[in-house]
Amino acid sequence: MTFKQEENYLSLNALTRFKDQAGHYNFQADKEAVAVYMRDYIQAKTKTFANLDSKLDYLFENNYYEKEVFDQYSKDFIHEIYQWADDQDFAFPNLIGAMKFYSAYALKTDDKAYYLETYEDRVIANALFLANGDQDLAKALAADILANRFQPATPTFLNAAKKRRGEYISCYLLRVEDNMESIARSIATSLQLSKRGGGVALCLTNLRETTAPIKGMANQASGVVPVMKLLEDSFSYANQLGQRQGAGAVYLHAHHPDILKFLDTKRENADEKIRIKSLSLGVVVPDITFQLAKENKDMALFSPYDIKKVYGKAMSDISITEKYDELLANPAIHKDFISARKLFQVIAELHFESGYPYLMFEDTVNRRNPHKKKGRIVMSNLCSEITQVSTPSSYNEDLSFRTIGEDICCNLGSLNIAKAMDQAPDFGHLVNHAIQALDRISRKSDLESAPSIKKGNQANHAVGLGAMNLHGFLATNHIYYDSEEAVDFTDMFFYALAYHAFKASHDLVKQHGPFAGFAESEYADGSYFKKYTESRVQPKTERVRQLLQDYGLQLPSQEDWQALAKAIQEDGIANAHLLAVAPTGSISYLSSCTPSLQPVVSPVETRKEGKLGRVYVPAYQIDNDNYAYYQRGAYEVGPQAIIDIVAAAQKHVDQAISLTLFMSSEATTRDLNRAYIYAYSKGCSTIYYVRVRQDVLEGSEHLESDELLSPGPTSPDRPSCNGDSECESCMI
């Protein structure tokens, strides 16, 4: 690519930030930039073949494509689906989508000199893999993905049908128990999973605290921080062929005695011996912590070592809220005390410094947990949208398993809300195809390197279907993000999504049977569905009622839910979990839409894309008519509006939603504490990043760029994961 070629398409893209003489923004210039980029840069670097057969033979013979995926279909069908895709005349809606695809997803020759795939090729590879030989499903998935109605998560979209690949799974969650064997095995497993691509989160709550006894000798334990350092070095070492560091997160309970030491590792002025630079931190916060802070009381920090001795259970496996007074009164359990308000103050300070820690509201997610008889939800993942039960493993001295527990993996994909609504009469079919695709990933993934995750996946086949482009849909329909109508629409969309997801999983029972623990779940006794079977759900606003009617989205009735719940009780469902909303940073850029459920940062976002410098990203289908509905972005609407949206969706999502809080540069720690309390009180499950706006002046140009924002005012330790489980850190 010559400088002149680069200048041409980037110059056209830059025009989207400026008005013409009539006072209108030149958003069309971005589409012109795409055409120039494809013509002057991509076409010259794309390897050509005489015909489709010669292309596929080359890809098979040179170990680029997995021939077994294609052998599930007839040669005639392969030709038919490629010709169909070519006939669609696909074009990237935005320059960022084209650049994202060719920089991060398109298959290249081993010497990186040529591209071997178009976007249509990658879509077909996914459809053929996910459909598992079903021609009709392959056609449907190809249509849904190419039209941006459904988008598999990055690890799936990137790796499907490739011979040399990573895994299809976005994130993994591991429990760590209080013994050296478990710690060592967790580090080894993290290395194996990072090697294959995917973010790994680990629960450290059960590790004994600093100065706890070892073999009866007091003041011997080193606590959680040395384990964190070992994990951070491990993730840095597993750098995925030098492409990027492995990505990890660690979660610790708020009432663990090492909680302040844990948080201090993210201080900007922390001693290098304890400072954690790239590992993400998460705190598990129960109801009792909020109650004690409200009453301005000290909170007890309980020794996990003593809890295990007294109760015979790990700390993460008991409810601290339920047992708090009992633990407090028991002299056999050592406890320290700190101010509950001080803890939240420290958390807020760190959010301003680094964007960390993530927060998981322990009792909220466990009240929603449909698998209470099986166990407790003790942690979340790297992007805080996965909340599932895990069970402990035990090990022999040679690190072999004595008993294999169940750990967790995330099989993710997202619907594009605007595109899904464009095909609203077929909404049920779209959701059905998506659930089938995610279920296929859970049954195809190779998890031999992590036996506890393999066991959990085989037992549960849990999936996480989410959604993106909410702000895009609202703005193009002239609905402000911070409005009653926006919350109402979100509520109704996810209400319909939940129904069709459960219906799709029920349909899969005929093929796979119910997941292993179905009989003990709240799906089996019908209690999970009471919120639908015992009340009638309808839009609250006339605007949304009319909108759904205009688009043709038929909401399930109370009678529909009653019939489905009865059928599920009789037959079961194939998947232990169905819905989770990830941040979708990478795939929303790929699909040229707004990320997840959050508002845009600005109508035209500024991003840094490698050596190319700034790329301007106009919001989804933005024009001069709907510009005003994008003008109030994430920092203008503030955290309350975003929390209201997430809370509306969370009522229907059986796992969690990655909730990012956007704070103005004038915000205080008190403002952040109010936001935590509001999110908790509204029933949100987790808080992901906190981003603080920083206005940066560069020359005479005022930048409003998410790339220049937090996670904090200064962020030297910012991880490569920039806000989604489909992000660059979570893929290979």
Side-chain angles (χ1 to χ4, degrees):
M1 178 176 57
T2 67
F3 176 77
K4 182 173 176 54
Q5 289 170 330
E6 178 184 317
E7 183 182 38
N8 282 343
Y9 70 79
L10 289 179
S11 298
L12 282 167
N13 168 256
L15 291 177
T16 58
R17 286 183 60 85
F18 301 102
K19 295 180 181 179
D20 60 21
Q21 291 181 342
H24 297 143
Y25 286 96
N26 190 14
F27 297 121
Q28 183 61 31
D30 189 57
K31 299 189 186 315
E32 296 170 18
V34 175
V36 173
Y37 174 73
M38 296 297 294
R39 183 194 68 206
D40 293 351
Y41 179 47
I42 297 302
Q43 288 180 11
K45 293 191 66 177
T46 300
K47 189 173 180 64
T48 58
F49 299 88
N51 51 49
L52 177 62
D53 287 338
S54 62
K55 178 175 182 173
L56 291 177
D57 287 344
Y58 174 88
L59 294 172
F60 296 145
E61 290 167 6
N62 289 278
N63 291 322
Y64 288 111
Y65 269 2
E66 192 173 13
K67 191 171 187 295
E68 291 77 9
V69 171
F70 290 75
D71 286 345
Q72 298 175 100
Y73 304 88
S74 69
K75 188 174 182 180
D76 286 345
F77 178 76
I78 296 295
H79 278 261
E80 177 188 336
I81 196 168
Y82 270 93
Q83 184 60 54
W84 170 87
D86 189 57
D87 291 344
Q88 303 309 301
D89 294 325
F90 171 83
F92 289 99
N94 292 104
L95 179 62
I96 190 66
M99 294 178 70
K100 180 64 72 175
F101 175 72
Y102 283 102
S103 65
Y105 295 90
L107 183 64
K108 303 174 184 69
T109 54
D110 289 341
D111 61 6
K112 309 299 181 187
Y114 292 98
Y115 296 109
L116 293 172
E117 287 181 320
T118 64
Y119 186 76
E120 295 93 322
D121 293 335
R122 186 95 299 266
V123 168
I124 291 171
N126 272 261
L128 296 177
F129 164 70
L130 294 170
N132 197 29
D134 184 330
Q135 292 188 7
D136 291 337
L137 181 58
K139 288 180 183 176
L141 285 170
D144 289 338
I145 299 171
L146 196 61
N148 295 140
R149 289 188 290 269
F150 168 63
Q151 177 61 49
T154 282
T156 305
F157 192 66
L158 178 70
N159 290 309
K162 287 184 180 177
K163 186 72 172 179
R164 291 167 286 171
R165 60 171 179 80
E167 274 309 310
Y168 313 112
I169 295 169
S170 300
C171 287
Y172 306 91
L173 291 79
L174 297 168
R175 281 179 60 129
V176 185
E177 307 307 326
D178 188 32
N179 56 75
M180 197 67 76
E181 291 77 18
S182 181
I183 294 168
R185 188 82 194 207
S186 297
I187 292 170
T189 303
S190 295
L191 283 167
Q192 290 292 332
L193 294 171
S194 294
K195 167 186 169 182
R196 289 158 175 78
V200 185
L202 302 101
C203 177
L204 304 185
T205 296
N206 299 331
L207 298 185
R208 69 190 69 188
E209 71 279 13
T210 307
T211 73
I214 296 178
K215 295 184 176 180
M217 291 181 283
N219 302 316
Q220 296 299 309
S222 300
V224 302
V225 174
V227 177
M228 294 164 66
K229 295 292 285 185
L230 289 169
L231 287 166
E232 178 163 72
D233 289 343
S234 300
F235 287 117
S236 298
Y237 181 73
N239 65 0
Q240 300 171 18
L241 299 177
Q243 295 180 78
R244 59 190 62 84
Q245 288 186 354
V250 287
Y251 281 79
L252 191 71
H253 200 283
H255 290 259
H256 190 287
D258 284 351
I259 186 63
L260 293 181
K261 295 183 179 70
F262 175 83
L263 294 171
D264 282 345
T265 62
K266 278 293 183 184
R267 295 280 192 188
E268 290 178 359
N269 60 354
D271 189 291
E272 285 300 318
K273 293 179 181 178
I274 67 162
R275 190 179 185 193
I276 294 296
K277 297 180 179 180
S278 58
L279 198 65
S280 302
L281 306 189
V283 177
V284 179
V285 186
D287 289 354
I288 187 65
T289 319
F290 282 99
Q291 181 182 329
L292 293 168
K294 181 180 179 181
E295 297 170 357
N296 197 18
K297 292 182 177 179
D298 285 348
M299 56 185 282
L301 309 178
F302 300 109
S303 165
Y305 175 80
D306 291 340
I307 287 175
K308 184 66 181 287
K309 282 199 305 179
V310 172
Y311 284 89
K313 290 183 178 181
M315 181 174 177
S316 63
D317 291 329
I318 68 171
S319 168
I320 296 297
T321 296
E322 291 178 8
K323 299 289 187 182
Y324 187 80
D325 291 337
E326 186 178 315
L327 292 166
L328 202 60
N330 192 330
I333 295 176
H334 178 79
K335 52 197 72 77
D336 299 312
F337 293 88
I338 61 171
S339 164
R341 289 188 179 181
K342 179 186 176 182
L343 175 65
F344 283 109
Q345 175 73 16
V346 169
I347 289 171
E349 289 170 359
L350 284 174
H351 273 148
F352 277 107
E353 286 187 24
S354 66
Y356 297 108
Y358 311 147
L359 301 178
M360 187 190 86
F361 303 133
E362 180 184 36
D363 293 305
T364 301
V365 299
N366 277 291
R367 278 190 290 271
R368 193 175 284 122
N369 174 20
H371 309 288
K372 295 180 180 67
K373 292 180 181 178
K374 182 175 184 178
R376 293 178 55 76
I377 297 166
V378 303
M379 63 183 297
S380 188
N381 66 316
L382 189 63
C383 293
S384 75
E385 81 278 17
I386 299 303
T387 51
Q388 300 176 22
V389 172
S390 55
T391 59
S393 299
S394 62
Y395 305 92
N396 298 307
E397 290 185 359
D398 63 356
L399 302 189
S400 61
F401 280 92
R402 186 179 302 135
T403 58
I404 302 177
E406 290 185 15
D407 281 313
I408 300 163
C409 61
C410 328
N411 308 300
L412 301 173
S414 294
L415 301 183
N416 181 324
I417 293 173
K419 297 294 186 179
M421 289 298 292
D422 285 341
Q423 297 290 319
D426 294 323
F427 186 68
H429 292 111
L430 171 63
V431 177
N432 186 286
H433 303 154
I435 293 295
Q436 286 191 68
L438 298 182
D439 179 81
R440 161 73 168 152
I441 297 166
S442 79
R443 297 177 195 276
K444 182 63 177 177
S445 296
D446 180 2
L447 296 169
E448 292 295 332
S449 66
S452 60
I453 288 179
K454 177 183 177 182
K455 183 178 179 181
N457 183 57
Q458 288 180 334
N460 299 308
H461 293 292
V463 302
L465 179 61
M468 57 188 177
N469 206 19
L470 175 65
H471 196 181
F473 176 78
L474 295 173
T476 52
N477 282 279
H478 291 192
I479 297 173
Y480 287 105
Y481 186 92
D482 53 340
S483 67
E484 182 185 2
E485 290 80 8
V487 175
D488 193 23
F489 171 77
T490 304
D491 189 358
M492 292 302 98
F493 181 87
F494 279 89
Y495 169 71
L497 176 59
Y499 173 82
H500 289 292
F502 278 106
K503 190 172 186 299
S505 189
H506 175 256
D507 291 343
L508 282 170
V509 167
K510 300 170 188 174
Q511 183 177 352
H512 301 299
F515 69 88
F518 171 77
E520 298 297 309
S521 73
E522 292 181 357
Y523 306 135
D525 64 19
S527 58
Y528 182 86
F529 302 109
K530 284 185 177 180
K531 57 188 174 183
Y532 304 124
T533 59
E534 295 183 355
S535 62
R536 194 173 300 277
V537 178
Q538 294 178 328
K540 294 180 174 65
T541 63
E542 182 56 37
R543 176 78 171 89
V544 170
R545 188 176 293 108
Q546 187 62 50
L547 190 71
L548 298 180
Q549 183 176 322
D550 292 345
Y551 273 93
L553 181 63
Q554 186 71 39
L555 294 177
S557 66
Q558 184 179 4
E559 291 73 24
D560 291 333
W561 273 108
Q562 289 168 347
L564 178 59
K566 182 180 179 182
I568 288 173
Q569 285 181 264
E570 292 174 354
D571 307 323
I573 53 175
N575 314 94
H577 289 277
L578 290 166
L579 302 179
V581 182
T584 73
S586 290
I587 64 169
S588 58
Y589 287 121
L590 179 67
S591 301
S592 301
C593 69
T594 64
S596 190
L597 306 186
Q598 68 192 46
V600 297
V601 173
S602 61
V604 180
E605 181 189 347
T606 308
R607 283 189 63 82
K608 287 184 68 178
E609 287 295 316
K611 297 177 182 178
L612 293 176
R614 293 182 210 144
V615 177
Y616 299 103
V617 185
Y620 174 77
Q621 292 188 4
I622 190 171
D623 57 31
N624 289 287
D625 188 44
N626 61 39
Y627 180 86
Y629 297 89
Y630 285 117
Q631 203 163 11
R632 284 179 54 76
Y635 296 97
E636 286 75 24
V637 301
Q640 183 168 324
I642 301 172
I643 290 167
D644 286 341
I645 289 285
V646 169
Q650 185 68 80
K651 293 188 294 184
H652 312 292
V653 173
D654 61 279
Q655 295 189 76
I657 298 169
S658 292
L659 166 58
T660 297
L661 300 180
F662 295 82
M663 309 297 293
S664 72
S665 54
E666 294 80 26
T668 65
T669 55
R670 184 183 293 272
D671 295 323
L672 258 180
N673 278 315
R674 288 196 188 105
Y676 307 152
I677 294 166
Y678 189 67
Y680 163 72
S681 68
K682 293 285 287 186
C684 296
S685 293
T686 59
I687 292 176
Y688 183 37
Y689 275 129
V690 172
R691 300 189 182 274
V692 183
R693 181 175 220 152
Q694 294 295 298
D695 294 333
V696 180
L697 291 176
E698 188 170 296
S700 60
E701 184 178 12
H702 179 256
L703 300 180
E704 291 182 330
S705 168
D706 193 41
E707 192 67 24
L708 299 173
L709 303 174
S710 57
T714 58
S715 51
D717 301 338
R718 184 178 184 178
S720 53
C721 178
N722 71 345
D724 68 336
S725 44
E726 294 84 44
C727 73
E728 287 80 357
S729 292
C730 307
M731 66 183 196
I732 188 166

